[in-house]
Amino acid sequence: MVMVILGIFAAFVAPRIGDVGGAALNKNARKLAHVITYLYSQASAQNRMLRFTFNLETGKYYAAALNSSGAFEPVEHTLFSTGKLSDGISIVRFTTLFNGNFVGENVYFHLMPEGFAEKAVIILRDRKGRMLSLTVDPLTGRVSIDRVEGRIEFEAQAA
């Protein structure tokens, strides 16, 4: 009887053990999508231009607001301060409408107070090579998440 129970348990649990990285990739993509949508609404509600910045080396990300002297400075929001991608998750491509493909340490896109976001495509990858793309809709601030199959080829611009 014990062997039957262990066999049933193994049949259901064993296939899911290998997908732990897939779960982490999905979790990070959903979290980023929620943060971007939240910051889009905050830019409009507070009538401030926001810059969502990623550090490609450390995986950290934060929001910055345009101040009166024309510089961006980090800001804290009620539901978001700074974040970090989980270990094993990285950004392999970061493309914006105005700047093309970014490389370098810090990359960013803008969220405007008029209810417009700079279109951005962010591709995340886990250690097993699985990839998800996040696409920011410029008119709604919503983020769609899609699987990426195959290799990604691109020419990068310095940030």
Side-chain angles (χ1 to χ4, degrees):
M1 190 61 150
V2 172
M3 294 302 285
V4 170
I5 293 171
L6 287 176
I8 292 171
F9 178 74
F12 286 105
V13 173
R16 300 189 197 312
I17 290 175
D19 194 40
V20 171
L25 181 62
N26 288 330
K27 177 183 171 188
N28 278 264
R30 283 191 316 273
K31 183 177 180 181
L32 280 176
H34 292 303
V35 167
I36 291 167
T37 302
Y38 171 73
L39 291 175
Y40 173 88
S41 67
Q42 289 301 301
S44 181
Q46 296 177 5
N47 198 28
R48 301 172 74 172
M49 178 182 274
L50 296 178
R51 176 183 279 179
F52 194 41
T53 303
F54 291 89
N55 184 303
L56 297 179
E57 302 294 322
T58 64
K60 292 182 180 179
Y61 51 89
Y62 64 93
L66 188 64
N67 64 21
S68 58
S69 64
F72 284 93
E73 58 187 28
V75 294
E76 300 288 325
H77 287 275
T78 308
L79 299 176
F80 171 74
S81 53
T82 60
K84 184 177 184 320
L85 296 174
S86 298
D87 289 338
I89 307 296
S90 60
I91 296 174
V92 294
R93 183 173 180 178
F94 189 94
T95 306
T96 66
L97 179 64
F98 300 117
N99 294 310
N101 297 313
F102 272 101
V103 295
E105 188 175 336
N106 290 310
V107 297
Y108 57 85
F109 68 94
H110 296 101
L111 304 146
M112 317 301 179
E114 298 84 11
F116 177 77
E118 183 177 2
K119 183 170 184 170
V121 177
I122 303 162
I123 299 182
L124 301 176
R125 178 174 56 200
D126 68 6
R127 287 186 178 127
K128 291 191 175 184
R130 292 175 284 217
M131 293 183 280
L132 291 176
S133 70
L134 288 81
T135 305
V136 179
D137 184 304
L139 299 177
T140 65
R142 292 193 176 155
V143 180
S144 61
I145 301 172
D146 299 298
R147 291 209 177 279
V148 176
E149 303 294 334
R151 270 181 81 98
I152 299 172
E153 303 283 337
F154 68 96
E155 292 187 25
Q157 307 274 332

